[in-house]
Amino acid sequence: MAEALGFFQVWLKNPLRVAAIAPSSRSLANLITSEISHNTGPVIELGPGTGAFTRALIARGVRQEDLALIEFGSEFAAALHFHYPRARTLWMDAARLRAVDLFDGRAAGAVVSGLPLLSMPPRKVISILTGAFRKMEPDGALYQFTYGPRCPVSLRLLDHLGLEAERIGGTLANLPPAAVYRIRRRHPIPFHFVRFSSRQHVPVE
């Protein structure tokens, strides 16, 4: 109850940044981490908030030392650092992900995102996705949940970045109900071989 109240208070301060009025449910946490295990390797979590997905990742065997928690909210970041001291918690904008070294040069096996991508401009979404895939193994996947009826990354934007999305499931046991998408490279080549310029045309809806 205290966690939910704290989450709601942060939402009141900045509803566009937090996007939800309550922490993610255990059902959603289990769904979004269902394809991840201790064999996945390092995992990056974007927007972990109160740590619902973080707890699920640890329960699936991911070591704290193999977690990088990227959180923009100072209140959430401080709590995450306290509860998961062996993980690397960074208080920063996920759009700057490509600029930091997270695992001493090791590539991540997966990224789990709780970010409200639908409320972000396309250029910021591109920066987040580009940074995430540059930090991952060529066959790594990004898991993103949404409250909407479709993937929160538009097909045009996915095409622009050479990515594809697949819905892996949904849950009604969440407030509000949510679905999870797996986003991968269409051709599993290292993302640092893909050239992207901020001056390129960015597709919009």
Side-chain angles (χ1 to χ4, degrees):
M1 181 63 70
E3 179 179 289
L5 178 59
F7 192 97
F8 182 66
Q9 289 172 336
V10 174
W11 175 82
L12 285 175
K13 293 179 183 178
N14 196 333
L16 288 180
R17 175 168 64 83
V18 179
I21 63 173
S24 298
S25 68
R26 182 176 299 179
S27 175
L28 178 55
N30 288 338
L31 176 59
I32 201 169
T33 62
S34 60
E35 297 184 347
I36 298 174
S37 72
H38 66 281
N39 294 320
T40 302
V43 177
I44 301 168
E45 190 177 352
L46 306 179
T50 58
F53 299 162
T54 313
R55 291 190 290 273
L57 287 166
I58 292 172
R60 293 191 182 279
V62 180
R63 303 184 310 153
Q64 283 193 40
E65 293 85 353
D66 285 335
L67 284 172
L69 310 177
I70 312 300
E71 176 55 56
F72 187 74
S74 58
E75 307 94 333
F76 292 146
L80 290 164
H81 179 67
F82 176 79
H83 289 294
Y84 309 104
R86 298 194 305 278
R88 184 170 185 192
T89 301
L90 295 177
W91 176 24
M92 61 176 283
D93 188 335
R96 296 179 46 242
L97 187 62
R98 62 183 297 176
V100 296
D101 181 13
L102 299 177
F103 303 109
D104 296 324
R106 289 186 300 156
V111 173
V112 174
S113 172
L115 297 175
L117 298 184
L118 283 174
S119 66
M120 297 179 180
R123 287 189 182 278
K124 182 160 188 171
V125 176
I126 285 175
S127 294
I128 290 169
L129 293 177
T130 302
F133 279 93
R134 283 181 183 273
K135 298 297 181 184
M136 271 195 288
E137 297 282 359
D139 59 349
L142 181 148
Y143 298 89
Q144 174 71 48
F145 84 91
T146 182
Y147 302 127
R150 297 184 299 275
C151 178
V153 183
S154 71
L155 182 58
R156 293 181 67 186
L157 207 56
L158 290 169
D159 287 344
H160 184 67
L161 294 174
L163 303 173
E164 60 185 5
E166 181 178 356
R167 187 181 187 273
I168 66 170
T171 176
L172 297 176
N174 193 75
L175 181 64
V180 173
Y181 286 82
R182 181 203 308 116
I183 301 175
R184 282 180 166 163
R185 300 172 176 90
R186 286 184 177 166
H187 305 289
I189 60 173
F191 224 66
H192 60 268
F193 290 139
V194 179
R195 293 187 177 274
F196 174 77
S197 168
S198 60
R199 291 178 293 181
Q200 285 181 257
H201 172 67
V202 177
V204 296
E205 292 298 325

